[in-house]
Amino acid sequence: MRYPELPESLLRLEEGLLDTWREEDLFRKTLEATAHGKPFVFYEGPPTANGKPGLHHIISRTLKDLVCRHQTMKGRSVTRIAGWDTHGLPVEIEAERKLGISGKPGIEELGIERFNEVCRESVFTYKEDWEKLSERIGYWLDYSRPYVTYHTEYIESVWWILKELAGRGLLYRGFKSVPYCPRCGTALSSHEVAQGYKDIEDASLFFLCPLLEESGELDVEGRAFLAWTTTPWTAPSNTGLAIHPDLRYVEAAASGRRVILAEALAEKVLGDGVEILRRYSADELAGRRYLRPPDLVPAPEEAGNSWSVVLEDFVSAEEGTGIVHMAPAFGSDDYTAGQRHQLAMLRPVDDRGRFLEDIPVVGGLFVKDADSLLIEELRKRGNLHSSATTVHSYPHCWRCESPLIYMARDSWFAATTTLKEEMLRENRKIRWLPPEVGEKRFGEWLENNVDWALSRDRYWGTPLPAWVCEEEEGHVVWVGGLEELGELAGGLPDGFDPHRPFIDGITIPCPSCDGTMRRTPGVVDVWFDSGAMPFAQWHYPFENSEEFEKHFPADFICQAIDQTRGWFYSLLAISTMLGRGTPFRAAMVNGHILDEAGQKMSKSRGNAVDP
């Protein structure tokens, strides 16, 4: 009996097997052989092909193929449609590098049309690398008809979804404090923010807000509230102090001053044996007014209840002083409390994250660079208690890694909080592997869900299909497809590209008045693009309705654990908002490969290893 010769190495053995599969067209034959089998629907999470694949992509792709191949061997007809994520900041940042520009001013000087042309050219830079990696590791995907998020058909389905959500009362325009990237010049959603936290060293500032008498004169006893913040740059925008209604507060002697803070934190902040002079209930302090710590920003004529003490449940006795400094223009809780208590909103910062030029002391500076100057200004005014540095977790842009700031901005939102219970209920129907991911990490994320900030002040993305009247901004028309837009606008050019800047020039008459409607300038969060794939990969509902219904929901999806706050969430949120329930029955979640510094590997960090 003769045996074949041993291969030179395991590498040669694998390469020979791949050659055989390629010659036999084995993947295609398995699809044909199981075409009439019981369907097993798999959704592929779309990678961004303008960045190279890394070693960290192999884990989830191996797990995906393991499950899908097992189902194929059982005779199931397995859906393995490939997909490409082609919009958003990952593509824009790469285009900026290629063009040698940085930020929105450079893009707008170049022109949106040329910039988006470079974005389009770059989206498939490493497409062959991804396809070769898939073949090399034996991961079978059908690349013959992939879904591509920048294709007109895909965009049209996303528009349809948005119009459906608007019709259900789930979309609204709001002026809210949102996480904002000054470098990219756009707001981010909560699930994007969750992917970009870093431990950094920041200033830890304890500062004084002197009490005022009802007459407006300084308190005759020289008392002052002691507040704490790790964002000294927000001190010029302070318009309120928050205390907890159930906490006890004390007046204590400190460095020749009489300061007020939470009793539970007095010794931690002022030291053991601190002298307590008086005790207060929260109700006794609520409504008291105080002197602005640094009055660098002009006060508005209508200041409401600004520079007064208010009661809020979000105040904690775990850290700080039990007195929260509030700048409603630069914090989510601050903004909500400011609206509730009629506190002025001072926003002396431009879209680049720099103080306005006419602001004393810090004019023209990037906010994070102004901390030391503001601390010194408080010292000069006698309102500095102490300052040090502290290491804490701070949000950064998930793509450009710039520090984010929370800033009040005009944005479009999806009211996902109104469907929290529905999403929690649908989550309980999903088989999570491992189970604790669904119960803990994903379930807790849903419990703390906030409304989804949908709009991005950027260029290369699915345009928001909302047309707003120039005469009355309350008149809004959501457009659900190109045919509908053509009818409203009196026709569209042949082969119309719905991207910016072409879509920006399309106007429609307002159906509610004699005004002209123009499209709101934003584009859609790229995570909405990818979360729409169960519908948009079929150009649903414009065609392939039967195919869509056969492939919804998925039997199986698989991604790394960070997607619990990314693709997994956007899939579930969109489907639930459309009233379709969970879009996947089972989700397998893998961990991350870390580099030598213990950081997860990613393209944006530049620490990925070429497989």
Side-chain angles (χ1 to χ4, degrees):
M1 181 179 292
R2 298 183 62 188
Y3 294 93
E5 292 184 8
L6 288 172
E8 297 176 23
S9 64
L10 289 176
L11 176 62
R12 293 288 176 263
L13 177 63
E14 290 184 1
E15 289 175 341
L17 185 59
L18 289 172
D19 287 340
T20 301
W21 286 0
R22 198 179 300 115
E23 290 166 7
E24 294 177 346
D25 196 12
L26 186 59
F27 175 43
R28 185 67 47 199
K29 287 181 178 177
T30 64
L31 294 177
E32 292 170 356
T34 58
H36 301 293
K38 182 180 178 182
F40 182 83
V41 179
F42 163 68
Y43 289 163
E44 164 70 343
T48 305
N50 76 323
K52 284 187 175 183
L55 186 66
H56 56 295
H57 292 109
I58 291 178
I59 295 181
S60 60
R61 294 192 152 220
T62 300
L63 293 172
K64 292 173 188 179
D65 191 77
L66 181 69
V67 173
C68 290
R69 195 174 293 260
H70 174 64
Q71 294 297 330
T72 296
M73 293 172 71
K74 291 169 64 177
R76 303 282 295 270
S77 177
V78 181
T79 308
R80 289 177 177 250
I81 300 171
W84 300 109
D85 200 0
T86 54
H87 278 150
L89 281 174
V91 181
E92 288 198 23
I93 290 172
E94 185 63 26
E96 287 182 40
R97 290 194 189 106
K98 287 187 175 182
L99 290 163
I101 59 178
S102 179
K104 296 176 79 171
I107 294 170
E108 293 183 1
E109 183 179 348
L110 175 73
I112 297 173
E113 183 175 354
R114 173 59 183 149
F115 180 72
N116 278 357
E117 184 182 326
V118 174
C119 287
R120 187 190 298 268
E121 291 168 356
S122 75
V123 293
F124 288 133
T125 302
Y126 298 106
K127 178 174 177 286
E128 288 187 10
D129 295 66
W130 283 92
E131 292 178 359
K132 285 179 181 177
L133 173 69
S134 294
E135 183 187 49
R136 178 64 186 84
I137 65 174
Y139 177 43
W140 283 349
L141 271 182
D142 185 359
Y143 287 104
S144 66
R145 58 155 307 269
Y147 65 88
V148 180
T149 59
Y150 82 75
H151 282 178
T152 297
E153 295 80 8
Y154 197 99
I155 289 173
E156 190 170 35
S157 290
V158 174
W159 280 11
W160 170 80
I161 292 171
L162 288 165
K163 182 173 182 177
E164 285 289 305
L165 301 187
R168 292 166 178 258
L170 292 171
L171 301 184
Y172 66 94
R173 190 177 191 174
F175 192 74
K176 288 187 176 184
S177 184
V178 292
Y180 177 81
C181 177
R183 196 220 74 89
C184 297
T186 189
L188 281 79
S189 60
S190 57
H191 43 279
E192 288 177 298
V193 174
Q195 300 195 46
Y197 275 86
K198 293 182 181 180
D199 286 339
I200 62 169
E201 189 174 87
D202 251 336
S204 175
L205 172 66
F206 291 86
F207 65 100
L208 301 170
C209 298
L211 264 73
L212 295 177
E213 301 283 2
E214 288 187 12
S215 64
E217 298 295 319
L218 283 172
D219 176 57
V220 294
E221 298 182 54
R223 293 172 293 176
F225 292 104
L226 182 57
W228 173 74
T229 183
T230 55
T231 55
W233 64 268
T234 62
S237 299
N238 170 275
T239 56
L241 296 175
I243 61 176
H244 196 285
D246 298 331
L247 288 180
R248 295 283 297 175
Y249 289 83
V250 295
E251 179 184 323
S255 303
R257 300 290 296 265
R258 301 164 75 95
V259 301
I260 297 172
L261 73 166
E263 183 172 17
L265 290 161
E267 289 199 344
K268 181 178 179 181
V269 174
L270 302 177
D272 294 340
V274 59
E275 182 183 0
I276 303 299
L277 305 174
R278 193 181 304 175
R279 286 178 169 81
Y280 302 93
S281 68
D283 287 337
E284 290 177 275
L285 299 175
R288 292 300 303 263
R289 294 191 175 272
Y290 62 90
L291 185 69
R292 296 177 64 185
D295 55 349
L296 303 179
V297 182
E301 290 184 12
E302 297 295 329
N305 294 320
S306 298
W307 304 292
S308 66
V309 177
V310 300
L311 300 176
E312 283 293 339
D313 288 335
F314 62 73
V315 180
S316 166
E318 297 299 316
E319 59 182 358
T321 65
I323 299 177
V324 174
H325 139 70
M326 291 195 299
F330 299 111
S332 181
D333 287 336
D334 301 31
Y335 177 86
T336 304
Q339 295 291 297
R340 190 160 40 242
H341 298 288
Q342 296 182 307
L343 305 179
M345 184 162 57
L346 307 182
R347 208 196 94 169
V349 175
D350 66 18
D351 286 351
R352 299 174 301 159
R354 297 177 181 274
F355 280 102
L356 302 178
E357 293 289 346
D358 60 352
I359 302 300
V361 182
V362 292
L365 287 178
F366 180 64
V367 292
K368 299 290 282 183
D369 296 333
D371 285 352
S372 60
L373 289 175
L374 288 167
I375 291 171
E376 182 57 31
E377 182 66 17
L378 287 167
R379 188 190 311 278
K380 289 178 182 177
R381 293 168 180 251
N383 290 333
L384 176 67
H385 173 73
S386 64
S387 68
T389 57
T390 184
V391 175
H392 66 143
S393 184
Y394 191 85
H396 288 66
C397 180
W398 66 293
R399 280 302 177 185
C400 77
E401 299 192 354
S402 298
L404 302 179
I405 59 177
Y406 278 79
M407 187 155 70
R409 297 185 64 80
D410 191 19
S411 300
W412 291 90
F413 295 86
T416 50
T417 51
T418 63
L419 296 170
K420 183 178 84 169
E421 294 305 320
E422 286 90 333
M423 285 196 284
L424 286 167
R425 184 168 59 248
E426 293 301 323
N427 180 44
R428 288 192 286 270
K429 298 176 183 177
I430 299 168
R431 183 188 178 198
W432 288 92
L433 299 168
E436 58 268 22
V437 172
E439 180 184 348
K440 298 290 186 182
R441 186 180 177 95
F442 194 62
E444 290 172 2
W445 175 255
L446 295 178
E447 282 282 1
N448 296 294
N449 172 53
V450 297
D451 283 352
W452 187 345
L454 285 179
S455 54
R456 299 290 177 273
D457 300 322
R458 296 297 300 187
Y459 310 97
W460 178 244
T462 296
L464 268 170
W467 270 256
V468 180
C469 181
E470 291 182 325
E471 301 297 326
E472 174 51 65
E473 65 176 21
H475 297 165
V476 179
V477 170
W478 288 88
V479 176
L482 288 174
E483 183 178 341
E484 179 186 352
L485 179 59
E487 291 172 357
L488 292 170
L492 295 174
D494 291 340
F496 178 70
D497 180 357
H499 286 94
R500 299 189 69 188
F502 314 109
I503 192 70
D504 298 336
I506 304 298
T507 62
I508 62 177
C510 180
S512 303
C513 69
D514 294 329
T516 298
M517 308 190 91
R518 297 187 182 277
R519 193 189 70 83
T520 191
V523 297
V524 181
D525 178 8
V526 68
W527 290 101
F528 197 93
D529 272 2
S530 59
M533 60 77 56
F535 308 88
Q537 69 175 338
W538 298 106
H539 192 209
Y540 179 84
F542 304 96
E543 57 180 324
N544 301 315
S545 294
E546 186 176 337
E547 286 297 317
F548 163 72
E549 295 294 348
K550 283 166 52 179
H551 292 85
F552 186 94
D555 292 295
F556 169 67
I557 62 173
C558 173
Q559 294 291 146
I561 191 145
D562 55 341
Q563 295 304 319
T564 51
R565 295 171 183 181
W567 190 52
F568 294 157
Y569 174 73
S570 63
L571 282 170
L572 181 63
I574 291 171
S575 185
T576 303
M577 286 191 287
L578 286 172
R580 298 288 310 213
T582 179
F584 52 93
R585 295 189 176 102
M588 183 179 289
V589 185
N590 62 269
H592 291 134
I593 295 182
L594 307 182
D595 65 11
E596 65 275 11
Q599 298 292 315
K600 80 163 187 172
M601 290 187 182
S602 70
K603 295 190 292 287
S604 59
R605 281 196 173 97
N607 62 350
V609 175
D610 187 342

